[in-house]
Amino acid sequence: RDRSPSRGLGDVYKRQKEYIGGQCGNPEGLGGIACAKFMNFFNAEHYRAVKKFVCKLDGARILDIGFGNGVTIKKLSKNINAKFYGVDISADMVEKAKRENRDGVNTNKVILQQGKAEELPYNDDFFDTVYTVNTIYFWEDTAKVLDEVRRVLKDGGNFICTFYTKGYLDKLPYCDTGFDKFTPQQVRSMARERGFHDVKVKILSDCKAYCLVGTKIEGE
């Protein structure tokens, strides 16, 4: 067997990349907590985009898919008189986000639970806005998630999806595994194919970060 130092270091580096990539998709334990805090900083411009496009009507229902440590929900709920829901695949993040949003949880303004984006546990035509920040890469079935988002949105409700483009992610070593990467054109096409209207892709940072906004219109 090849016991050369270079091969050993290569294996360690590979495991490190797989670990970091896995934590981005499903944060767990102390590593997950650290990853979520880093993403709060890394995704700052994405959060600003969500704040800009999210429904601000009093009494609106808003869903966050993949809320992580819940910091975005906490910030939005302080400024918008809406009811916030969230679903995240990570049990650890659900508990962390509940602590982060303790006041909202205690007053029933924030409702968080564990679940998959492919099987949203909500009624049809329920939300005014559904948003997700940098989770599209980790969906097992992108078309099914988009169908679920459209199902739970009200007529006229909007979908916000922020993401980093494939070209940018290809430059990041920890995105080698566990990521499905897309161009802005691909994300726009997928949303249109699943029945969203007025689909626009906003540039947050040229050739790097983007925000898709689409609308559900019944009967079209």
Side-chain angles (χ1 to χ4, degrees):
R1 289 188 300 174
D2 182 357
R3 297 180 180 275
S4 64
S6 60
R7 178 170 179 176
L9 290 174
D11 290 342
V12 171
Y13 181 54
K14 180 181 179 182
R15 288 195 296 270
Q16 287 177 337
K17 290 195 296 182
E18 291 174 348
Y19 175 77
I20 295 172
Q23 289 288 15
C24 290
N26 187 0
E28 296 179 317
L30 293 176
I33 292 173
C35 181
K37 287 184 177 180
F38 171 74
M39 296 307 288
N40 292 154
F41 169 78
F42 192 62
N43 295 331
E45 60 190 345
H46 298 244
Y47 301 143
R48 287 192 291 270
V50 168
K51 183 178 179 181
K52 179 179 179 180
F53 295 111
V54 73
C55 181
K56 298 177 179 64
L57 295 176
D58 283 355
R61 296 192 189 110
I62 300 170
L63 173 63
D64 183 332
I65 297 177
F67 50 76
N69 59 16
V71 168
T72 303
I73 291 177
K74 184 177 182 179
K75 290 179 178 178
L76 290 175
S77 64
K78 286 183 176 180
N79 298 295
I80 302 174
N81 185 27
K83 191 163 186 176
F84 288 83
Y85 296 73
V87 60
D88 197 288
I89 196 171
S90 169
D92 288 353
M93 288 298 101
V94 173
E95 293 307 311
K96 181 70 172 67
K98 284 182 177 179
R99 292 193 296 271
E100 187 73 32
N101 290 273
R102 185 178 293 106
D103 291 343
V105 170
N106 289 339
T107 57
N108 207 36
K109 185 178 181 179
V110 177
I111 300 175
L112 307 175
Q113 63 190 100
Q114 186 180 10
K116 297 176 63 175
E118 289 82 3
E119 301 172 2
L120 295 176
Y122 309 106
N123 293 331
D124 297 355
D125 309 310
F126 191 72
F127 292 106
D128 297 278
T129 292
V130 176
Y131 71 85
T132 186
V133 175
N134 283 327
T135 68
I136 190 172
Y137 334 107
F138 310 114
W139 298 345
E140 295 177 0
D141 187 331
T142 305
K144 188 173 182 180
V145 174
L146 293 174
D147 286 344
E148 279 288 273
V149 169
R150 192 175 184 282
R151 177 183 68 79
V152 301
L153 272 174
K154 296 178 181 178
D155 184 22
N158 68 323
F159 173 49
I160 306 166
C161 176
T162 75
F163 60 97
Y164 289 104
T165 190
K166 180 181 185 300
Y168 175 69
L169 292 176
D170 282 342
K171 299 175 184 178
L172 303 180
Y174 62 84
C175 296
D176 286 352
T177 59
F179 285 72
D180 287 330
K181 307 168 189 176
F182 304 98
T183 66
Q185 294 79 11
Q186 287 174 318
V187 177
R188 181 191 297 114
S189 294
M190 288 189 295
R192 287 174 173 169
E193 288 170 3
R194 306 322 295 180
F196 288 93
H197 291 262
D198 301 322
V199 178
K200 299 178 177 63
V201 176
K202 314 286 186 178
I203 299 174
L204 304 183
S205 181
D206 199 19
C207 299
K208 177 182 176 182
Y210 296 81
C211 176
L212 175 140
V213 182
T215 305
K216 173 181 175 178
I217 302 178
E218 290 283 14
E220 294 189 24

